[in-house]
Structure formats: structure tokens, C-alpha cells
Amino acid sequence: MRTAGRHFLQIPGPSSVPDRILRAIDMPTMDHRGPAFADVGRQALEGMKWVFKTENRVFIYPASGTGAWEAALVNALSPGDKVLMFETGHFSSLWKSLALKLGFDPEFIEGDWRGGAEAERIGQRLREDKSHEIKAVCVVHNETSTGSVSQIKAVRKAIDEAGHPALLMVDTISSLASIDFQHDEWGVDVTIGGSQKGLMLPPGISFNAVSEKAMAAHEKATTRLSYWSWSDMAGPNDTGYFPYTPATNMLYGLNEAIEMLREEGLENVFARHIRHGVATRKAVHAWGLDVLCSRQGDESDVLTAVLMPEGHSADAFRATTLKNFNMSLGNGLSKVADKVFRIGHLGDFNDLMLMATLSGVEMGLGKAGVPHTSGGAQIAMEHLKETSVPS
Ligand code: PLP
């Protein structure tokens, strides 16, 4: 049966693609080796440097974020290299498994899935590593499975204070263009990004921003690679081209997305996300429910993971909001499956979209018989009334 009105895609990515970007993608395919393509390629490569806040190279892959994770590791490391990773949740765990499958030696600092990576524990482990066996520290900036943020500046400081030469690799797949991130200023060596969240694009392209130090490590690294090779990309990229067929129509969309971010201003985009994150957490607390992230200051402004009261199924609740209100909420992943639901508030998102989302959650809680106090959406509305959209 047809469902009237638009679907509310409130998962924490892929996020809804704005019409402007859909229109930009909706173009005849062009010759990716012809003269007109160079401008498209150059614009995308230069624009992404602005998004990552870097003067160095950004590589664009026709792959989902997982591809860019793999690219970061295989370009900069040699077989068997030890990498220090922090368990923030499902995605850090997947990245660790990927490192293991590729023949690296990941060491996981265990976490409780209720906050970001703990810089002190990373620093402590690095201080113990007197022979500098650890070649890279890998951290997820915004852990999409838990709604927790890692403080990257603090991790950088911990590496520096330990006097350790390891590369710093950061996954910004769900934070890029939503939460402030500064590749150069924060001393990150490889940043991994994806198209389908803050960049407001469909899934399908992903990124590596690469420091000079990481590029130098790549020159010496001995892992066998072909498709992901930074050095094979660099030559053609210098003139706006790619060594193989790029995702041409996605690049039209990417250039439009970058233009939209420039029009709004990145700092305003971040402030908009903060305001929606605060309003959402106020609603959750007013309902009498708990946010999964319990470490103050690490709460994500991209998504909010909400803990279900004991004995209630998050998946049954999500099925209720989908059936009754045509709204998809994010599910709990692996360790927190069925225990949390995730509200995405990212990308091309405004106050009324947030109010509709929170109203849908509140009505869903009622319909699904989940114990809560009514009025959370009202509390969020008060916050939106009292604060203003950045101009
Ligand atoms: N890292 C994070 C933080 C993610 O949120 C995701 C996907 O949601 C990934 C990595 C994996 O990216 P993809 O599913 O695009 O391969």
C-alpha cells in the first residue's frame, strides 16, 4: 500500500540527499578522459581539501567508506606492522578486523562503548612502546554505533607527549562536514571520509586525506597494493584525472555539495549540528531515557543512541515508528543490538525536520508501550525557540 508523504530517513547515514544534489547528479555521463572532465576532477579534489582543512593531498575512491579504511592501512603500512586501535564501538571493531584480515597486527585498547577514545590510555600504551613497534594509532572520530566522539586534539597531544613517531589515522566517515575536523591543524596523518553522511551524497565515494609524513611512509611501505595506491593516483590527480574510471556523476554531486557547504559556511554547519544534538539529548532526558554516550563532552551532534528501558526491544520500537510514521531509525549494532535505537540528525537537516523526527519518536514510544514521560519533543522545541539558527 502506498504511504503518503515523504519518508523520514533518520538513520545516522546514509542521510537524505537534497534535491540540489540529486539534480546535479542527474546529468549525462561524460568522458572521464576528455578535456571537460579535468575541471570536474580538479574542483572535487581542491574542494575536498577545503572540507578536510588541509593543504595536502586528498584521494577520492569509487568505494564505500570501508574501501577508504583499507586504503589508509595498505598505503602507509608494511605487512605485520603493529597498529594501536581504540574500541569505541562497532565501527572501530570492524576496522580492527579489517586490519587483522589484511595481515597487520592490531592491538585493541578495550572500551565500554559509552564514550570516545581515551587519550590518556593511548598515551600510556605509547610510552610503554619504547622500541616504537607501533606504526599507527587508529581512532574513529564519530563512532556511529554509539553516538560518541573521540577528542582528536587530545589524542594528538598524547602521541606527542609520549614522543612517539606513530602515524595518526582518523575515521571521519560520520563526522566530516558535520562536526569540526581539522586535518592539518590537528596533526592527523591519514583521515578517512565517506560521501553518505555530512556530505549529503548517496553512498559510493570515499576519501583519504594524507599528510606529508604519511606520504613519506607510503614511499617506504611494502604492502602489495594496486587499486588503492596513493602514488598511482597522485600523477593523474595533478591534472584533474584519475588512474581508472572515477564515479563521474557522484563527482558532479560532490561539487554541488561542496558549493552548498561553502554557501552555508562550515562553521555554521557545525553550529547547526550542535544545536540539533543538544535539542535531541534534552528530549531524550525529558522522556526519562538514557543516552548511550555517558562520558560528558563526548556526546555526538550527528546522532543520538538511546538506551531502551530493561525488557523492551529497540527493534520492535523501530518497527512501530516505521509502520505508523514512515520513519526509519537506526538499529543497535552487534553488542548493543536491540538495546539501543539511533536518531540521525545530520546532513541537510533543519529545525522542522528535527521536530518531526522527535515527535515521531515520542509518538512511537507511546504506541509501542515503552515507559517514558511525555513532553520531550516539547522540551526540544523550547531549545530551538530559545536559540537561533546560525546566520
Ligand atoms: N566508519 C564509520 C564511523 C561508519 O559510520 C561507517 C558506516 O556507517 C563505516 C566506517 C563503514 O563505511 P561504509 O559502510 O561506507 O563502508
Side-chain angles (χ1 to χ4, degrees):
M1 196 178 73
R2 188 184 107 79
T3 311
R6 65 175 283 268
H7 176 68
F8 277 79
L9 182 67
Q10 297 316 139
I11 60 174
S15 62
S16 292
V17 181
D19 291 349
R20 250 178 88 171
I21 292 181
L22 290 173
R23 297 292 90 80
I25 292 171
D26 181 14
M27 292 278 283
T29 307
M30 72 157 35
D31 174 7
H32 62 288
R33 301 200 198 281
F37 183 79
D39 281 345
V40 177
R42 259 197 300 258
Q43 201 184 329
L45 290 162
E46 279 304 310
M48 284 312 294
K49 287 186 181 184
W50 173 77
V51 176
F52 280 109
K53 300 190 179 173
T54 182
E55 297 296 322
N56 293 310
R57 284 187 184 278
V58 174
F59 297 106
I60 305 178
Y61 296 106
S64 82
T66 302
W69 261 349
E70 177 161 339
L73 299 175
V74 296
N75 272 287
L77 302 173
S78 297
D81 274 357
K82 189 177 257 312
V83 286
L84 186 65
M85 300 176 125
F86 197 101
E87 182 192 12
T88 43
H90 176 71
F91 289 102
S92 62
S93 306
L94 282 184
W95 199 10
K96 185 206 79 177
S97 306
L98 184 143
L100 196 62
K101 284 183 204 158
L102 289 170
F104 302 113
D105 177 17
E107 180 178 321
F108 219 21
I109 302 183
E110 283 182 16
D112 61 5
W113 290 42
R114 300 207 67 175
E118 293 163 50
E120 331 74 69
R121 293 176 67 198
I122 292 174
Q124 189 189 331
R125 179 63 190 94
L126 292 177
R127 280 193 296 280
E128 286 162 15
D129 181 37
K130 303 269 185 255
S131 56
H132 296 168
E133 254 187 83
I134 295 167
K135 301 300 177 202
V137 173
C138 298
V139 170
V140 175
H141 186 208
N142 184 72
E143 176 53 76
T144 326
S145 62
T146 65
S148 298
V149 172
S150 298
Q151 309 305 329
I152 303 304
K153 275 196 281 189
V155 174
R156 174 77 261 169
K157 193 158 168 261
I159 299 173
D160 291 345
E161 284 178 357
H164 201 288
L167 296 169
L168 173 58
M169 298 191 182
V170 180
D171 168 346
T172 63
I173 288 172
S174 62
S175 56
L176 192 69
S178 295
I179 300 175
D180 188 21
F181 180 80
Q182 304 180 29
H183 178 90
D184 286 1
E185 185 63 29
W186 295 356
V188 180
D189 293 300
V190 189
T191 304
I192 295 105
S195 57
Q196 73 271 31
K197 315 228 182 204
L199 287 174
M200 307 173 283
L201 292 162
I205 54 176
S206 54
F207 313 91
N208 277 178
V210 178
S211 72
E212 278 176 22
K213 182 176 165 188
M215 208 63 197
H218 168 62
E219 308 291 326
K220 294 207 195 98
T222 57
T223 300
R224 292 173 74 163
L225 78 169
S226 169
Y227 185 77
W228 306 114
S229 170
W230 292 338
S231 34
D232 288 358
M233 277 276 203
N237 277 182
D238 283 342
T239 50
Y241 292 92
F242 292 82
Y244 41 73
T245 315
T248 36
N249 288 49
M250 285 289 283
L251 296 181
Y252 299 146
L254 177 61
N255 288 339
E256 189 67 20
I258 294 167
E259 181 52 33
M260 288 169 72
L261 292 169
R262 285 191 201 276
E263 285 170 19
E264 186 174 354
L266 271 182
E267 305 313 310
N268 288 339
V269 170
F270 303 147
R272 175 165 56 77
H273 282 79
I274 291 171
R275 189 161 161 273
H276 289 161
V278 170
T280 304
R281 291 191 292 277
K282 282 186 174 222
V284 174
H285 294 136
W287 289 323
L289 301 177
D290 286 327
V291 170
L292 179 61
C293 177
S294 60
R295 204 160 312 130
Q296 221 187 354
D298 285 359
E299 300 93 345
S300 169
D301 294 314
V302 158
L303 77 138
T304 303
V306 183
L307 270 166
M308 284 306 269
E310 215 33 60
H312 290 267
S313 157
D315 290 343
F317 163 68
R318 289 188 316 105
T320 304
T321 60
L322 180 59
K323 180 163 172 275
N324 291 278
F325 307 115
N326 196 16
M327 175 166 73
S328 295
L329 294 166
N331 62 337
L333 293 163
S334 49
K335 225 165 95 170
V336 290
D338 207 27
K339 294 192 171 76
V340 304
F341 65 90
R342 295 174 298 150
I343 307 170
H345 32 83
L346 69 156
D348 188 43
F349 199 62
N350 65 24
D351 289 8
L352 294 189
M353 291 156 93
L354 180 66
M355 285 317 303
T357 302
L358 296 176
S359 302
V361 172
E362 186 161 334
M363 289 189 287
L365 290 170
K367 272 206 183 291
V370 179
H372 70 288
T373 308
S374 296
Q378 179 70 36
I379 298 288
M381 188 157 70
E382 296 302 325
H383 180 73
L384 298 183
K385 252 192 322 192
E386 284 159 15
T387 57
S388 52
V389 182
S391 55

